[in-house]
Amino acid sequence: MSSEELRADVRLLNLVNFGADGALLYAEYEGRTKLRVSCDLAGPAFVRPARLSPLQADTLLLAIELVAASCPRLRVPP
């Protein structure tokens, strides 16, 4: 895996990753050789389902489609 591929995967991870029980994971590079990963427990914030307006829901669906289009591993077969 090249450095650019790894950096692209880290950017995608930061965009969509949620760990179990509402753990939010965030990764960032420190210099050229060190990757720092932090975890924030956000369980209480996710106890109730999100309530989105129709515009927010449409925007979220569009963002998912755009991300999936740029990442072959996220594409769902028809």
Side-chain angles (χ1 to χ4, degrees):
M1 174 178 274
S2 74
S3 174
E4 282 304 311
E5 289 173 321
L6 182 59
R7 288 182 185 275
D9 287 349
V10 168
R11 284 191 299 269
L12 182 61
L13 172 77
N14 288 333
L15 180 64
V16 299
N17 190 27
F18 290 89
D21 298 327
L24 305 174
L25 303 175
Y26 180 75
E28 63 184 334
Y29 282 96
E30 291 182 348
R32 295 180 56 95
T33 60
K34 189 174 183 181
L35 181 66
R36 171 185 242 169
V37 179
S38 58
C39 177
D40 182 22
L41 297 178
F46 295 118
V47 170
R48 295 187 355 205
R51 297 188 183 270
L52 302 175
S53 71
L55 179 60
Q56 289 171 323
D58 287 344
T59 303
L60 184 58
L61 289 173
L62 178 60
I64 291 168
E65 288 178 19
L66 290 173
V67 169
S70 67
C71 185
R73 289 178 278 180
L74 295 178
R75 290 190 191 136
V76 178

